[in-house]
Amino acid sequence: MCGIVGYIGNKKAMPILVNGLLRLEYRGYDSAGIATIEDDKIVVMKNKGRVNNLSNLSGIDKLVGTIGIAHTRWATHGKPSKENSHPHLDNSKSFAVVHNGIIENYHELKNFLIEKGYEFLSTTDTEVIPNLLHYYFNQDSKNDEKKLLRAVKNTCKDLKGSYAIEILSTYNKDKMIVVRKDSPLVIGKGLEENYISSDIPAILSYTKDFYLIDDNEIAELSRDKIKFYDSELNEIIKPVKSIEWGALSAEKDGYEDFMLKEIHEQPRAIRETVGAKLDNGKIEIEGLEFSKEYLENLNKIYIVACGTAMHAGLVAKATFEKFCKIPVEVDIASEFRYRDPLIDERTLCIYISQSGETADTIAALKLAKSKGAKTLAISNVIGSSITREADYSIYTHAGPEIAVASTKAYTSQVALLVILGMYFAEKLEKVDKSEINNLKSDILKIPTQIEEILKNTKQIQEFARKVYKEKDMFFLGRGTDYAVSLEGSLKLKEISYIHSESYASGELKHGPIALIENGVTVVAIMTNPSLVEKSISNIQEVVTRGAKVLAITSEDIKNDGLNEVIKLPKTNPLISPILSVIPMQLFAYYISKEKGLDVDKPRNLAKSVTVE
Ligand code: F6R
C-alpha cells in the first residue's frame, strides 16, 4: 500500500526522501514522487513505476531544499500514472500534499471545489486536499501563526474516510504539518531534524526515537521542535518512544532477498518471542489481567485476522481448545466485520496483525469492542493502530518484516498464541500440569530444531527445480497439518504465481481427487503420529493416480512411491506447524527464484493492507 516519508532539517531532503521510499518499496506501489521547497517555490518530481524511475529523473539531483515530503502510491482512485501519483498541488501551487488512505466523500468535495472555480489535473481522491487547504486558507481573514493549522483543521473536518497526510506550504516554508485518521504515521525525532514515515523501518537508520500520532491529531514540525494538537487545535503533550529494532534488521545483511533472510531469522525471532514470556518454566505475560473467573466464564474465543495471520490463528485453535476447553472460532476479519457475529461480554476476541495496521482487522476489533467483548491484539509493531485500539496487546519479537510474504511473523505468531493458550490453561487448571510442562519444553526446543532444518535446504531446492514450471499444486494435511498446509499453499501462490489448493486430506474423496492426474504435484504434511496412518492412505490414493509427492513428516514412513521425503525433528503436533512450514516457505522461495520472479515484492500485493 502507499508509503509516506518526510524530512525537515539542515541536510538536503531529496536523498533522504528517496532513500526512505526505497525502504518502503516492500509495501507495494506503482508510482513515486517527492516535493521539496526550493527557494520560495514547491518543486514536485514524480513518475510512474519504481523509485528508480523517480531518482533517474533529470534535475532531481539539483534539489537542495531541506524540507520535503515523499510518497509511493498504490493506486486506488485513478489508474497508476504520473498525473495520479503524489505529491499533489493546489491550483495556486502553494500547498503540496501526499496522502495514504481513501477520501470517501471526494466526489462531493470535488464538486464543491469545481463550483468555486478549482480545476483538477488528476483522477485521484487526494487532489481535493491541497485545494481545500487553499480554499480554507484564503477564507481565513486572521493572519496569525496558526493560520495554516486552521486551514488543516477545517480541511480535515470535511474529509470522510481514512488518511495520513503530509503538507508543505509556501506560506510557511520552515514548517511541515502532518495529520492522521485510521492510517499509520510516525514521527522520528532527531537532533535539529525530524523525520516522518508511514512505517518505522523506513527511517530506522536515522533515529530510534519516535512519536506515535493518534487519530485526528495534528503535528507541526519545525527543525528543532514538534508541536502536537488535537482536532480543535488545543496543544497536547506526547511522550517519545524508543524502538528497540536495530537499523540492520531493515537491511538484507548479505542475503539475496529479504524473504530468505527472514526465513533464516526464525530461530532468533521465536527464541525472543518465547523467551520474553516463558522463563524458568514460568509463563508471565505483562499487562494481561485475565482472572480465573473471567476465563471460566468465557463462552467463546474468537481469533480474527487476515491471510497468514489468520492461518496462525487456525493452528493455535487446537491449543486453546485442548488445554482451555473453550470453543474457539477463527475468522477472516473482512467476513467477521460484516456478519454480525455472536459476541457478548463473555466472549474474548483475539486479533492478530503483524503490521497492526490492517484495516479489516482493526474494524473487526472495533466491532467486538462495541458489543462489550474484551479485545486482545497480537502484533509485531509496538504502538501500531491495532494495539492502540485493543484493551490488551502482546507482541511478537520478529523484528521488522520487509518481504511481502510473511514468514518469521507467522511462526512467531503461532509461538506466541501457543504460549497464550498455555497461560490461560494454567489459570484454568483444566488439564494435567504435565501436559503443559511437556509443551513448554517442546516449544523451547523449536528454535534449535528450525536451525537443524535450515542446515540442509538442498533437497527442497532440487525438488523445486523439478516442478517450478507446473501450473497447479495441492497441499494436504490433517489437524494442525491441515492448518499449516493452508499457509504453505498461500506462500506458493503469493510468490511463485502457481495456482495451489489446500485440502484436509480426508476431504479428498469428496471432490478434489477428481483433479489428481498424472504428474500433478502434491505436498503432503504428516507430523501427527496419531493421524499419520490415515494420511498415508490418502497419499497412496494420489500416488496411484500418478501424483508427484513431496512429503513433509517427522514420522518414519515408508517411501512408497513418494518422490521426496523431508524429515523433520519430532515435536508436539500443537506446534509442529512452526517446523513444517519452514520447508514450505523454502519450497515457494526456490520456485519463485527458479522462475526469476521478484521474491520480496510479488505482483499486485502490498505488505500492509491499510484500506478495505
Ligand atoms: C501473506 C501475508 C498476508 C498478511 C495479511 C495480514 O504472506 O503477509 O496474508 O498476513 O495481509 O497482514 P497483517 O498481519 O499485517 O495484519
Side-chain angles (χ1 to χ4, degrees), residues 77 84 86-91 95-99 101-114 118-136 151-152 154-156 158-163 165 167:
H77 291 73
N84 286 338
H86 301 212
H88 288 282
L89 291 167
D90 72 304
N91 286 178
F95 297 91
V97 162
V98 301
H99 158 227
I102 291 179
I103 305 303
E104 286 160 9
N105 59 336
Y106 84 101
H107 262 303
E108 197 186 299
L109 297 170
K110 194 166 175 176
N111 288 340
F112 165 80
L113 288 162
I114 288 170
Y118 287 86
E119 284 175 11
F120 286 83
L121 309 176
S122 76
T123 49
T124 63
D125 51 342
T126 301
E127 206 184 350
V128 298
I129 304 171
N131 285 311
L132 275 176
L133 286 167
H134 177 263
Y135 172 76
Y136 283 116
V152 174
N154 290 327
T155 298
C156 290
D158 281 354
L159 304 178
K160 290 204 179 106
S162 59
Y163 49 82
I165 303 171
I167 301 159

Side-chain angles (χ1 to χ4, degrees), residues 306-309 352-356 358 404-406 490-491 494 609:
C306 301
T308 289
I352 315 166
S353 177
Q354 184 282 128
S355 61
T358 301
V404 164
S406 182
L490 177 63
K491 284 292 88 85
E494 282 182 289
V609 185

Side-chain angles (χ1 to χ4, degrees), residues 127-150:
E127 206 184 350
V128 298
I129 304 171
N131 285 311
L132 275 176
L133 286 167
H134 177 263
Y135 172 76
Y136 283 116
F137 193 82
N138 284 297
Q139 290 286 306
D140 192 342
S141 54
K142 211 163 147 198
N143 267 320
D144 62 0
E145 56 173 24
K146 281 206 170 164
K147 186 167 177 172
L148 183 55
L149 280 169
R150 280 196 299 278

Side-chain angles (χ1 to χ4, degrees), residues 346-377:
R346 291 178 58 214
T347 319
L348 171 65
C349 295
I350 302 176
Y351 296 84
I352 315 166
S353 177
Q354 184 282 128
S355 61
E357 304 296 346
T358 301
D360 281 320
T361 314
I362 295 171
L365 185 146
K366 287 182 181 166
L367 174 78
K369 253 176 119 176
S370 73
K371 287 178 179 258
K374 281 207 166 51
T375 56
L376 163 61

Side-chain angles (χ1 to χ4, degrees), residues 312-361:
L314 285 172
V315 172
K317 173 182 161 81
T319 303
F320 284 96
E321 291 193 334
K322 186 169 174 160
F323 282 5
C324 306
K325 313 289 178 208
I326 301 170
V328 176
E329 204 173 315
V330 181
D331 207 350
I332 299 165
S334 56
E335 289 294 311
F336 180 89
R337 65 182 287 195
Y338 291 120
R339 74 172 172 85
D340 198 13
L342 296 175
I343 302 172
D344 57 30
E345 52 295 335
R346 291 178 58 214
T347 319
L348 171 65
C349 295
I350 302 176
Y351 296 84
I352 315 166
S353 177
Q354 184 282 128
S355 61
E357 304 296 346
T358 301
D360 281 320
T361 314

Side-chain angles (χ1 to χ4, degrees), residues 239-259:
V240 65
K241 288 202 181 233
S242 289
I243 304 281
E244 285 168 20
W245 294 350
L248 212 59
S249 53
E251 308 284 348
K252 280 190 199 157
D253 198 17
Y255 285 91
E256 219 171 298
D257 317 85
F258 277 110
M259 183 175 174

